[in-house]
């Protein structure tokens, strides 16, 4: 009876924003103290602010949580002063998304086992906010009704080797709110180009978006049954959260392996449904992705700052407050900051993280 | 008798540094207020300081003069405080090098008609200072002895179309101090590539260096005989300088055409001798010339500032005080300043002046 009543009322939702990322691909704008989620890279607001604004119409502020380490959490509290202090969950140790989402879900479960947890990365771009909100509502409904782990899959537009893939079956789909949810068949790690080509041709795979929706109780059962590597942590976390204080959580994290939720649970779980995330998603993975996001001039140049281009095309310039003159160049990413300048070929921006690694190895901390 | 005595004693020399240049090719480092001669571009000192240091062992400070407009002269007096105040000659109006050198030579003539004037651009690089000094001494000797207009010609290393050429004859050479001085046959304007190729193949041409050596009296006679366009100015300038005050010089300049000394006199003069300027000369004409001047790393990159290059070659970076990371780029000129950044293809640096023209046309004065 209790369960039935809950089903009929509005579902009790917790949005958990995974905000611990420390990406180095937006160096020199992104730094250790200010990774991508804290940069206004896709619009006027920081990406974490955009992420909160995007789900704000769906849940009250006191149901929006973040998960990050203590350093990031301090920064988050400054950027998100409207969120209650208790909602900033701190990871005692970096253990990837598996243990982090287990902690958040355990807390939701303690408040209400029928609560639905929505896990969202803090640093993704979604252009069609309305469609996203509609699909997310449907996903909450399906997670609650079907006791499935629900995820969004991004329809691939090219044979990406930088994303994981979710293979799915069109047969056995369920629907809610007019949206289809397909049974996920398998989660694939980042593939080779040949395999990515095949996935694209077959049309039965999505990119793994890292967005998840599940009922707390259903998550607990899936963990117990299918996630042996992290399952021992569940009970410990529940008890630690019940008891309060830090020591129980510290101990629970210390003994857990660092595993992504994809690896620790999703690819092993009994019931996973995937919904097409066709809402203009981008993970804004590196500087070149902004060439697709910021408005271009007639020669394909995009800029933050004043640009004076001569015979130049397809360049991205981030240099607000300064004038940048380009003469006879193309396919460049140019990012100027107070103490460091990056000039990078568009097709080499994956190597920007090597710049950061080199700076770290050579102990040039002021640039990190 | 007077003349004979002068010949046997040390020659009375005036070095006149042409310091009025307002080049725009080193933007954004070079600005209206601070053109190339005021930038430490080839070494630690500004180019004007290098120019003075280079001739300092040959003449006392009170025989070193500059010629420039009043704006530049104010800047020169700051950079060269050791030079007597009276030695900064001010052009009342910009009339190119013809009238400017006529004024300087008129002043020398008034002091001593047998004085030898050495005219040097303020913003050239000379790597072999000793050889330059030796050749200059010899040129002074020849100018005084032969009553010829003497110039230095740079042995061409490629078919440059950006320089004027001096064609000369190996027959009829005279020598002094062990150096040969060849009769100049003709001065050629900047040629087409085909003609430049031919000059290079024939081996009978030098690049025009813009450095000249002449006796004041010999110059006066050549002007009178061979330079009808500017000849009327000579007497006026002599009288104005004798009288003192600005008004006579202002009037003399106003009525003169703006002509280079090459065009106004050298290519028409009766007796011109040219000495091979094989002393590591460069006019440092644009950013890319520094690729040949600054020390290169093993990938051909040159830098002022800290550089972190990955998979990058043949780039010049001027960004002192900042770190510049290059990833997967080549053949770029990168110049960062407080308010403006230039990224330019090595083979397009002649177009940097168009950037400056555009800024001027669109009235963006703060960048000029």
């Amino acid at each position: 009876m209790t369960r039935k009543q809950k089903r009929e009322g509005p579902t009790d939702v917790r949005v958990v924003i995974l905000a611990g990322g420390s990406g180095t691909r937006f160096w020199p704008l992104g730094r250790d103290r200010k990774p991508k989620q804290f940069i206004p890279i896709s619009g006027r607001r920081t990406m974490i602010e955009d992420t909160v604004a995007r789900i704000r119409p769906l849940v009250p502020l006191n149901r929006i949580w973040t998960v990050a380490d203590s350093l990031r959490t301090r920064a988050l509290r400054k950027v998100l002063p409207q969120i209650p202090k208790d909602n900033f969950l701190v990871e005692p140790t970096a253990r990837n998304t598996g243990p982090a989402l287990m902690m958040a879900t355990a807390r939701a479960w303690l408040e209400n086992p029928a609560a639905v947890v929505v896990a969202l990365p803090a640093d993704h771009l979604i252009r069609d906010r309305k469609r996203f909100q509609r699909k997310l509502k449907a996903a909450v409904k399906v997670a609650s009704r079907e006791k499935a782990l629900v995820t969004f899959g991004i329809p691939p537009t090219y044979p990406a080797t930088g994303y994981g893939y979710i293979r799915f079956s069109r047969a056995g789909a369920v629907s809610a709110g007019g949206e289809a949810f397909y049974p996920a068949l398998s989660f694939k790690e980042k593939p080779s180009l040949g395999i990515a080509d095949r996935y694209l041709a077959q049309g039965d795979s999505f990119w793994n978006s890292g967005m998840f929706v599940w009922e707390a109780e259903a998550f607990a059962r899936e963990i117990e049954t299918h996630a042996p590597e992290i399952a021992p942590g569940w009970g410990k976390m529940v008890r630690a959260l019940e008891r309060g204080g830090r020591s129980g959580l510290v101990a629970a994290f210390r003994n857990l392996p660092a595993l992504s939720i994809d690896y620790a649970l999703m690819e092993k779980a009994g019931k996973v449904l995937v919904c097409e995330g066709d809402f203009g998603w981008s993970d804004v993975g590196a500087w070149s992705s902004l060439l697709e996001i910021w408005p271009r001039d007639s020669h394909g140049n995009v800029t933050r700052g004043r640009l004076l281009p001569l015979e130049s095309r397809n360049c991205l310039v981030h240099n607000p407050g300064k004038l940048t003159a380009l003469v006879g160049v193309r396919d460049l990413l140019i990012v100027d900051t107070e103490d460091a300048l990056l000039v990078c070929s568009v097709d080499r921006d994956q190597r920007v993280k090597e710049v950061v690694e080199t700076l770290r190895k050579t102990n040039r901390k002021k640039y990190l």
Side-chain angles (χ1 to χ4, degrees), chain A:
Chain A
M1 272 309 286
T2 316
R3 170 151 299 178
K4 192 133 194 280
Q5 274 169 359
K6 279 193 187 295
R7 266 202 206 166
E8 284 164 353
T11 312
D12 183 12
V13 175
R14 309 284 183 284
V15 173
V16 179
I17 301 175
L18 294 155
S22 59
T24 54
R25 289 178 184 175
F26 283 89
W27 187 91
L29 194 61
R31 302 288 175 105
D32 276 357
R33 298 173 308 283
K34 201 177 80 174
K36 190 175 125 202
Q37 61 270 36
F38 295 105
I39 302 175
I41 213 154
S42 56
R44 290 181 170 278
R45 287 183 298 204
T46 62
M47 299 200 79
I48 180 82
E49 287 173 292
D50 272 342
T51 302
V52 168
R54 195 181 294 135
I55 44 113
R56 201 45 209 85
L58 303 182
V59 287
L61 277 173
N62 64 1
R63 297 293 162 90
I64 299 175
W65 300 351
T66 66
V67 194
D69 66 12
S70 59
L71 182 74
R72 289 278 169 277
T73 297
R74 275 199 292 278
L76 286 165
R77 285 170 64 172
K78 277 185 200 151
V79 179
L80 304 171
Q82 72 277 33
I83 289 188
K85 209 176 142 182
D86 272 357
N87 290 16
F88 296 94
L89 278 61
V90 179
E91 298 168 272
T93 320
R95 285 290 185 263
N96 208 327
T97 53
L101 284 174
M102 190 158 76
M103 172 174 69
T105 307
R107 180 163 152 183
W109 187 86
L110 281 167
E111 293 177 9
N112 176 7
V116 169
V117 171
V118 173
L120 301 174
D123 56 359
H124 288 180
L125 172 76
I126 288 170
R127 287 189 194 78
D128 190 341
R129 186 188 285 203
K130 290 281 172 220
R131 184 185 288 242
F132 167 74
Q133 290 164 347
R134 200 167 63 235
K135 295 218 166 193
L136 191 56
K137 265 189 208 165
V140 166
K141 210 172 278 179
V142 162
S144 184
R145 190 182 75 202
E146 306 287 335
K147 312 299 171 201
L149 308 184
V150 180
T151 183
F152 289 100
I154 309 301
T157 50
Y158 69 99
T161 57
Y163 298 131
Y165 284 72
I166 303 168
R167 306 197 70 191
F168 65 95
S169 157
R170 295 197 188 268
V174 301
S175 81
E179 306 295 338
F181 291 80
Y182 307 107
L185 301 178
S186 58
F187 280 67
K188 298 288 182 187
E189 299 280 310
K190 297 174 183 178
S192 67
L193 185 60
I195 291 174
D197 265 329
R198 193 148 47 85
Y199 290 162
L200 198 64
Q202 288 168 346
D204 60 354
S205 299
F206 290 134
W207 291 335
N208 183 352
S209 71
M211 295 187 267
F212 307 104
V213 183
W214 51 60
E215 189 204 59
E217 175 66 20
F219 177 91
R221 276 188 230 145
E222 286 281 8
I223 286 277
E224 198 181 351
T225 319
H226 298 292
E229 291 138 316
I230 59 169
W234 175 260
K236 285 180 197 160
M237 283 192 191
V238 168
R239 282 189 297 277
L241 289 164
E242 263 185 322
R243 211 168 41 233
R246 302 279 302 149
S247 63
L249 278 182
V250 170
F253 264 77
R254 196 170 40 220
N255 294 318
L256 284 173
L259 293 175
S260 72
I261 194 71
D262 311 68
Y263 182 85
L265 176 63
M266 297 305 288
E267 66 182 33
K268 297 162 181 162
K271 190 166 187 183
V272 180
L273 296 172
V274 58
C275 177
E276 184 172 2
D278 52 352
F279 32 59
W281 172 92
S282 167
D283 72 340
V284 195
W287 279 113
S288 63
S289 54
L290 295 173
L291 282 169
E292 310 302 324
I293 294 169
W294 292 354
R296 294 189 172 222
D297 71 12
S298 59
H299 294 90
N301 298 308
V302 304
T303 186
R304 290 270 173 90
R306 271 154 286 174
L307 195 66
L308 198 164
L310 287 184
E311 205 190 331
S312 296
R313 52 202 298 183
N314 199 38
C315 291
L316 174 137
V317 176
H318 189 284
N319 197 8
K322 276 170 78 167
L323 172 74
T324 305
L326 304 178
V327 182
V329 296
R330 56 193 304 165
D331 303 322
L332 293 180
L333 308 168
I334 298 163
V335 184
D336 202 6
T337 67
E338 210 173 305
D339 63 348
L341 167 66
L342 168 73
V343 180
C344 176
S345 175
V346 161
D347 60 2
R348 288 290 180 281
D349 68 345
Q350 298 300 322
R351 297 197 68 184
V352 170
K353 59 176 191 256
E354 292 174 49
V355 170
V356 179
E357 282 159 24
T358 303
L359 291 170
R360 210 176 295 282
K361 271 182 214 151
T362 52
N363 211 28
R364 281 178 273 184
K365 286 181 190 158
K366 63 177 284 204
Y367 301 114
L368 292 171

